[in-house]
Amino acid sequence: MKIAFIGLGNMGAPMALNLLKNGHTLNVFDLNQAAVQTLVDAGASASASPKAAATGVECVVTMLPAAAHVKRVLTADDGVLAGIARGATIVDSSTIDPASAQAFAKLAAERGNPFVDAPVSGGTGGAAAGTLTFMVGANAGVYEQVKPMLAAMGKNIVHCGDTGMGQVAKICNNLLLGITMAGVAEAMSLGVALGIDPKVLAGIVNTSTGRCWSSDTYNPYPGIVETAPASRGYTGGFGTDLMLKDLGLAADAAKSAKQPVYLGALAQQLYQTMSKHGDGGLDFSSVIKLYHDVGAKR
Ligand code: NAD
């Protein structure tokens, strides 16, 4: 399949590499030329703009930081909608608010292009391994069309409902993730302050009722999980500012639904404090720094 891939960051680059590995032909675009070069070295063609990338392809995939970037890439004079052929599909895997996804779908439909929201979970490790979970919002026919392409980048491809429902699933998951990470950071810090060996405490939690992904796969305490950002100075992984963005999306969506998110609001303030202290670029598990000094690298 001929695909345009726009947004080659921590997630987008390994996802695009997996499309190439699976035999797809890729046009790529990113503002960061080093990221583009990595994909060109692997066999992709560099494009001068999103418009140029989208010209002549069957599908455009975007993996960008936030809704404002997606809007710019889609609607600018040199944007995707200016170049894409009628009938070609746009798949946005960025995490954005459901209302924006629905607005982009409307805009794309006016030009004869199906738009799919397909945010992911699984982190940079899942992106590299091709084991991401895709949460797909689209009508059933379009979902079936994009499923084989998504399967080149992910293991679980889940149809969540019509447009926007992929983003609903994603922001609810990340609301929970932001809360559980803060909870694990709090419990680990309390245990250590009271004198228990952190490895013993993590071992107990991970075989007890407190176990969760934040404790067993991505523990925020250094040295518990070798592959977790906590064990490399909180570098790489999922940035605090991106978690803050997702909690903001959840808070906004909750407001529109008149639904309380008590713990989410508190978690948002914790990550906001991290960001204010200059730690927005560290992995979000560095929230443990609010509890004690764990020697994070800046
Ligand atoms: P990132 O910041 O590493 O990458 C974003 C890329 O988009 C960068 O290469 C940047 O240069 C590019 N970009 C920005 N504006 C652009 C424009 N106008 N035109 C072209 N390229 C542009 O972000 P990431 O970690 O890859 O995350 C991307 C999305 O995936 C975000 O919405 C994030 O919330 C979501 N996400 C991230 C993770 C993770 O673990 N990092 C996990 C799941 C979902």
Side-chain angles (χ1 to χ4, degrees):
M1 197 175 187
K2 193 155 186 211
I3 300 167
F5 204 108
I6 301 172
L8 305 166
N10 290 333
M11 294 294 288
M15 290 165 70
L17 284 172
N18 279 327
L19 287 175
L20 282 175
K21 273 186 213 149
N22 278 268
H24 295 288
T25 306
L26 246 57
N27 289 344
V28 293
F29 178 76
D30 195 292
L31 300 176
N32 175 355
Q33 286 317 306
V36 170
Q37 194 54 49
T38 304
L39 266 294
V40 169
D41 291 346
S45 303
S47 300
S49 66
K51 177 183 175 182
T55 303
V57 302
E58 295 156 75
C59 183
V60 174
V61 181
T62 50
M63 190 53 166
L64 296 158
H69 307 85
V70 181
K71 187 174 181 190
R72 153 107 197 43
V73 161
L74 293 183
T75 64
D77 288 347
D78 63 352
V80 167
L81 291 174
I84 194 169
R86 202 178 169 79
T89 308
I90 301 168
V91 176
D92 179 37
S93 283
S94 326
T95 304
I96 64 171
D97 59 293
S100 289
Q102 286 158 348
F104 296 146
K106 196 161 169 266
L107 211 61
E110 284 164 10
R111 317 263 186 136
N113 298 107
F115 177 95
V116 178
D117 51 304
V120 300
S121 90
T124 49
T131 56
L132 292 170
T133 292
F134 280 87
M135 298 159 242
V136 186
N139 74 40
V142 175
Y143 167 71
E144 289 302 332
Q145 271 174 28
V146 296
K147 198 175 167 188
M149 185 219 26
L150 298 180
M153 302 181 281
K155 195 170 64 175
N156 303 309
I157 320 298
V158 184
H159 189 206
C160 298
D162 223 325
T163 314
M165 293 307 117
Q167 297 294 357
V168 168
K170 174 66 185 174
I171 63 175
C172 291
N173 179 73
N174 277 25
L175 170 73
L176 183 55
L177 175 63
I179 294 167
T180 60
M181 183 56 77
V184 173
E186 189 164 301
M188 290 297 300
S189 300
L190 175 63
V192 170
L194 294 174
I196 194 169
D197 180 326
K199 285 196 171 146
V200 172
L201 178 56
I204 291 296
V205 168
N206 290 335
T207 50
S208 303
T209 45
R211 185 179 67 84
C212 59
W213 185 87
S214 298
S215 70
D216 70 2
T217 307
Y218 216 84
N219 198 295
Y221 200 90
I224 304 291
V225 179
E226 217 173 285
T227 52
S231 298
R232 52 171 194 267
Y234 303 94
T235 55
F238 181 50
T240 294
D241 280 342
L242 285 177
M243 173 52 84
L244 187 56
K245 177 200 70 163
D246 290 357
L247 290 169
L249 295 177
D252 291 346
K255 194 172 170 195
S256 75
K258 296 189 172 17
Q259 185 66 22
V261 280
Y262 309 109
L263 299 179
L266 179 53
Q268 191 180 8
Q269 294 308 308
L270 298 177
Y271 296 102
Q272 183 72 71
T273 304
M274 293 296 296
S275 190
K276 183 177 167 56
H277 290 167
D279 289 336
L282 294 179
D283 180 77
F284 80 113
S285 62
S286 64
V287 70
I288 197 169
K289 284 179 69 181
L290 293 177
Y291 295 94
H292 69 160
D293 183 11
V294 286
K297 286 181 195 153
R298 279 216 174 106

